[in-house]
Amino acid sequence: MQRRSFLRWTAALGAGGAAAAAGIAAYGRWREIKPDVHHPGRAEGHYLRDRQALPPPSSVIDADVAVLGSGIAGLTAAWKLHREGVGDVLMVDGPEPFGNAAGGAHGALAYPTGAHYLPIPPQECLHVRHLLYDLGIITRDPYGPRPQYDEKLILHAPHERLLYGGKWQEGIAPRDGVPAAELAEHARFNAEMEKLHAMRGADRLKVFTLPAAHASNDPAWRRLDSITFKAWLEQNSYRAPTLLWYLDYCCRDDYGIGIDRVSAWAGLHYFCARGGEASNAEGGAWLTWPGGLQPLAEQLAKRTGARRMAGTVASVKEVNGRVEALCFTLEAGKPRTYLVRARKAICAMPLFVASRVVDNIAQYGFDPARHMPAYAPWLVTNFLLDRFPEELPEAPLSWDNVVHGTKGLGYVVSTHQDIRRQPPAQTVFTSYVALSDRDPVEARKWLQTASAEELLALAATDLRAAYGSAFDGCVQRADITLRAHAMAAPLPGFLSNAGIQALRDAHGPILFAHSDLSGFSVFEEASWWGWQAARNALA
């Protein structure tokens, strides 16, 4: 953790880039706060990267199945094994319990440090519906076309708003003040997405669906993965600036990269694959918690029945038809190790980690030099406010608040679901930034070297645009979470990645489960591969 004071009248910075320096200059009358900068897994990751020596294991733990990682894929795998009657499951949490589903709290105020919502799952996502029903989140008719959900968890209005042309408007797609010709192009795009949503390939499978493993393999549609989304838009005469901004925002929000880099198949998948319905909510509604997905992850962890161990996997290998995993914890910077032995091991970790810890991963058909996906870095910052800033009159504060034309992804309000008559005295605004405006490697280098002031300035870009200097006096503290490898980015060609396909098909003592196997990071995909790995572990 890096902790520094950020003082009123902050001085100019060094090599953080002109944008960050300008942001800090704009911070002007900023009272003292002390931003905490968190780097989940960095110390453990550098230990693995640098191949530092580890002491011999101080203990040996035996299990039938070891789940190595506690993100959504690992939790789903452990939950599925428990449902199938496997009673001896050990889960090694990894460097950050719950991974991208993690969260934090300031006293009673919970907040996300990763993912913060789950769309109502469509009927094709039976694995997610089964899980949500078991957790009591779906309360009736889990496998029907329109299940009933726990009312407390359905996102209530106002859902989202956009600051465009100095005024707030409902929704994220620009509308008010947009020329009629551009609005017509928005309408044409939406109509085309409706058609593609129902489209099926020559194999009679839906072209776009969740999980993506169930999508059509029709080559005519898979060719979309050979070009960028921007190229597809140009080919289909979509040129309206407000539409292109909106589509770019959506891709940055879900994939961490913009339309100029994302696969056309993935870009279209974002708009065509979902559409879940509920009996007690509008179509396409969301489920959300003040702490993001952490409350869901915690609830799921309790239902797994697994023994949980703190620790990070250093090595995984097959030994006489079984698996041995050497794990370690860092205590005051010094490692302590233990050995896990199991009949099966599920590597529920990102592939950039698995490639370092799985002994000779090439034997499973995955060559890190050729098959490693690109990873998008993210910056997630939670601002604890001692009062709500004053709003412009056009549209009320919403759950998701986006600013047109910036590099940020907006901010969500942790207390949005609080339905008391009077708003709470304090709240947390969570700012999201995907560093999609620069090369991912350079972005990671910048995250490692940037000062707390530079990070804070970037994190507050949208909030400063929305509230100006009035925001300054509301902030009591800020917690910054850096996710240097936040999510796999679906670049053109990701669907034909032979190495990832080989890991999907692994059926030996070592199995793999992570959203990386789909090539993009969403709950439905992570959960699917956890489900599949659990089924394979039963064999």
Side-chain angles (χ1 to χ4, degrees):
M1 178 185 295
Q2 182 183 27
R3 186 173 178 88
R4 302 182 184 181
S5 292
F6 185 29
L7 302 175
R8 191 175 185 173
W9 302 110
T10 305
L13 300 172
I24 292 168
Y27 252 63
R29 303 176 62 85
W30 186 254
R31 62 194 179 91
E32 181 179 348
I33 65 170
K34 295 180 178 180
D36 283 357
V37 183
H38 306 266
H39 305 82
R42 184 175 72 169
E44 294 86 352
H46 287 182
Y47 222 91
L48 295 174
R49 181 197 65 189
D50 300 337
R51 299 188 178 278
Q52 298 183 47
L54 292 171
S58 58
S59 61
V60 177
I61 304 169
D62 290 304
D64 182 34
V65 181
V67 178
L68 308 177
S70 62
I72 295 303
L75 290 169
T76 302
W79 168 82
K80 176 65 172 172
L81 289 167
H82 182 65
R83 294 278 302 182
E84 296 294 336
V86 179
D88 186 15
V89 177
L90 175 72
M91 175 177 286
V92 179
D93 275 349
E96 181 186 29
F98 308 141
N100 279 355
H106 293 311
L109 291 174
Y111 56 78
T113 60
H116 57 286
Y117 69 95
L118 173 62
I120 295 289
Q123 203 161 8
E124 295 89 348
C125 279
L126 291 179
H127 64 291
V128 178
R129 288 191 176 190
H130 192 165
L131 186 153
L132 296 180
Y133 184 55
D134 188 56
L135 298 181
I137 296 169
I138 292 179
T139 58
R140 191 169 62 198
D141 194 20
Y143 309 118
R146 303 176 71 238
Q148 179 174 291
Y149 289 81
D150 184 341
E151 291 277 359
K152 299 188 299 297
L153 303 178
I154 298 172
L155 179 65
H156 67 68
H159 300 156
E160 52 192 10
R161 63 176 182 169
L162 173 70
L163 185 61
Y164 177 74
K167 296 182 179 181
W168 288 107
Q169 56 183 259
E170 292 185 13
I172 300 298
R175 184 187 68 255
D176 299 342
V178 176
E182 291 196 29
L183 291 176
E185 200 164 295
H186 282 258
R188 179 166 68 89
F189 178 83
N190 292 336
E192 186 161 6
M193 295 306 101
E194 283 294 322
K195 292 180 181 178
L196 290 177
H197 175 72
M199 192 69 67
R200 293 180 181 269
D203 52 10
R204 299 186 179 181
L205 297 176
K206 291 190 71 173
V207 173
F208 302 106
T209 191
L210 290 165
H214 289 170
S216 172
N217 284 310
D218 186 339
W221 290 104
R222 290 280 167 149
R223 279 198 290 271
L224 289 167
D225 187 42
S226 66
I227 61 173
T228 66
F229 192 24
K230 182 179 180 180
W232 183 88
L233 292 166
E234 290 173 347
Q235 290 174 8
N236 289 272
S237 300
Y238 290 111
R239 300 186 179 91
T242 51
L243 175 64
L244 296 180
W245 173 85
Y246 169 67
L247 302 181
D248 188 71
Y249 167 82
C250 292
C251 289
R252 290 187 294 119
D253 189 49
D254 235 37
Y255 303 134
I257 54 176
I259 59 175
D260 59 331
R261 297 184 62 221
V262 74
S263 157
W265 189 95
L268 292 168
H269 185 273
Y270 174 92
F271 296 96
C272 302
R274 288 198 171 103
E277 296 186 355
S279 63
N280 57 337
E282 297 178 356
W286 299 287
L287 302 170
T288 190
W289 295 255
L293 292 187
Q294 174 152 314
L296 173 60
E298 289 175 337
Q299 192 178 358
L300 186 54
K302 292 176 182 177
R303 299 286 290 178
T304 64
R307 292 176 286 161
R308 287 179 60 192
M309 295 282 294
T312 298
V313 179
S315 67
V316 185
K317 60 183 178 181
E318 295 184 30
V319 179
N320 298 324
R322 292 174 61 84
V323 183
E324 291 186 359
L326 181 65
C327 306
F328 72 100
T329 58
L330 291 177
E331 300 171 2
K334 295 183 178 180
R336 183 183 67 83
T337 66
Y338 58 90
L339 184 68
V340 175
R341 300 185 303 198
R343 177 181 62 86
K344 298 273 189 177
I346 297 173
C347 291
M349 59 187 71
L351 294 183
F352 77 90
V353 177
S355 68
R356 293 186 179 275
V357 304
V358 176
D359 183 49
N360 188 21
I361 197 171
Q363 69 181 303
Y364 302 96
F366 183 85
D367 178 1
R370 293 188 296 130
H371 300 136
M372 188 68 69
Y375 287 91
W378 281 61
L379 179 75
V380 183
T381 305
N382 285 281
F383 292 91
L384 174 64
L385 308 185
D386 55 20
R387 63 184 181 277
F388 285 81
E390 186 175 350
E391 295 288 342
L392 294 172
E394 299 86 14
L397 180 66
S398 300
W399 170 69
D400 193 9
N401 307 269
V402 178
V403 178
H404 178 268
T406 73
K407 296 298 183 182
L409 295 171
Y411 53 96
V412 296
V413 180
S414 72
T415 54
H416 179 79
Q417 296 293 91
D418 190 329
I419 58 174
R420 290 177 293 181
R421 184 170 299 178
Q422 294 295 325
Q426 291 184 310
T427 189
V428 176
F429 283 10
T430 305
S431 159
Y432 289 86
V433 178
L435 281 72
S436 56
D437 60 333
R438 59 192 86 186
D439 175 79
V441 174
E442 292 303 315
R444 279 189 281 276
K445 289 180 180 178
W446 184 80
L447 287 178
Q448 291 177 10
T449 59
S451 68
E453 293 86 352
E454 291 173 300
L455 295 170
L456 192 60
L458 180 60
T461 299
D462 287 349
L463 290 155
R464 290 284 303 185
Y467 301 110
S469 60
F471 181 70
D472 305 357
C474 301
V475 178
Q476 187 172 335
R477 63 174 290 169
D479 287 82
I480 301 172
T481 301
L482 305 182
R483 299 195 176 278
H485 297 81
M487 57 174 61
L491 305 179
F494 84 102
L495 289 178
S496 57
N497 188 316
I500 288 179
Q501 183 62 53
L503 297 183
R504 291 181 179 187
D505 295 337
H507 287 84
I510 296 178
L511 304 166
F512 298 87
H514 196 271
S515 62
D516 282 5
L517 299 183
S518 294
F520 55 99
S521 179
V522 296
F523 183 102
E524 299 92 333
E525 299 295 331
S527 182
W528 171 251
W529 293 115
W531 179 289
Q532 290 299 102
R535 291 180 61 184
N536 291 333
L538 295 170

